[in-house]
Amino acid sequence: QAKSSWKRALLSLGEGGSTLGPDRLISLRASPIRDVFRGLSFPLDAGTRATIRLHAAAQARLEASLRAALAAPDRTAALVALEARLELHEAPDNVLMGMLTAHREDEQWASVVKLYEAAPDGFRALLVARREYALALNQLGRTRESRDVLKAMVAEGDTSSVTLGLQGRVLKDRFDRAKAEGDPRAPQFLDGAIRAYRGGLRADPAEHYPGVALPPLLLELGTPAAKKEARAVAEVLLYNAERRASFGE
């Protein structure tokens, strides 16, 4: 939507339309700007150029504020204070992602969820942001919601190793709990975790996490076929490790 708004406004200017005012510009997302300007060659009037410069300066101030918060002795408190000052629904994606990533690194799971849910729709649609959200939900014990987020991502076509590996982790955690509680659904969660990790390994055999996590669950399943698959996966992991070593990785 922001991208089409930019195109309409700029094409209108190119045809002699009125200046794009700051109130119109500030509400537009920053992330599509480079793509919008690529290939456009008509001149902009002084008012629009000034507005763009103001927008760029505001972006730079936000990024500087984020860097200062990340460098603060108590960066969690600094990030929370920064979020309180921002209009999160208008903040650019890179600033939101910087805050979200910092909360995840500091294991501030409630802050991850709060920030994600307050962010604009465009940011919440980003795959990396949805993964962070799903992970945080799982860490907070909101397992069903986490599973629903990941299930929707896979259904929408995200069958990447990263997403399937995370889905496997969430289902594995649920299996562990079900097994400890004597829940009869434990085999169902075990099967789901195996399928997710298996899919992640197939999506990218070089991605080590699904491959490392899969064999113990196959051995937990305990069937001859599962044990055979566990050995085969271990061989793939060994090959990948030797290959990386040969390249000095």
Side-chain angles (χ1 to χ4, degrees), residues 46-245:
T48 297
R49 290 197 301 273
T51 298
I52 292 172
R53 284 195 295 270
L54 286 173
H55 184 75
Q59 170 91 3
R61 286 193 297 271
L62 281 176
E63 292 173 355
S65 297
L66 175 60
R67 288 193 297 272
L70 294 176
D74 184 351
R75 77 172 186 175
T76 296
L79 286 168
V80 169
L82 176 60
E83 290 167 29
R85 298 198 309 270
L86 292 179
E87 294 289 342
L88 292 179
H89 65 282
E90 293 182 351
D93 290 349
N94 64 323
V95 172
L96 292 170
M97 187 56 67
M99 293 189 290
L100 196 74
T101 301
H103 285 319
R104 187 255 298 157
E105 290 174 348
D106 295 341
E107 299 185 357
Q108 298 294 319
W109 306 116
S111 295
V112 171
V113 170
K114 182 179 179 181
L115 175 59
Y116 177 87
E117 292 180 347
D121 292 343
F123 180 80
R124 294 203 306 271
L126 296 175
L127 295 180
V128 65
R130 295 173 77 182
R131 291 181 194 126
E132 299 283 22
Y133 180 56
L135 174 61
L137 289 172
N138 188 57
Q139 295 298 108
L140 291 171
R142 295 165 60 178
T143 310
R144 181 180 294 276
E145 293 170 79
S146 179
R147 295 203 317 265
D148 288 345
V149 170
L150 293 166
K151 182 179 180 180
M153 293 177 69
V154 173
E156 292 165 12
D158 179 13
T159 55
S160 66
S161 179
V162 177
T163 295
L164 290 171
L166 180 55
Q167 185 182 48
R169 172 179 173 174
V170 171
L171 289 166
K172 191 263 184 187
D173 289 347
R174 187 65 185 90
F175 162 69
D176 288 340
R177 193 169 85 225
K179 181 181 178 183
E181 296 171 352
D183 188 330
R185 294 175 297 172
Q188 170 189 333
F189 295 125
L190 175 61
D191 180 65
I194 288 173
R195 283 188 284 106
Y197 281 136
R198 185 187 287 136
L201 182 62
R202 288 174 177 170
D204 183 1
E207 179 64 37
H208 71 276
Y209 176 68
V212 170
L214 179 57
L217 296 183
L218 291 168
L219 295 176
E220 178 77 33
L221 187 60
T223 64
K227 292 178 181 178
K228 182 178 179 181
E229 183 180 356
R231 286 193 297 271
V233 171
E235 289 174 2
V236 171
L237 294 175
L238 180 60
Y239 168 79
N240 285 337
E242 291 174 344
R243 184 172 180 275
R244 285 176 175 148

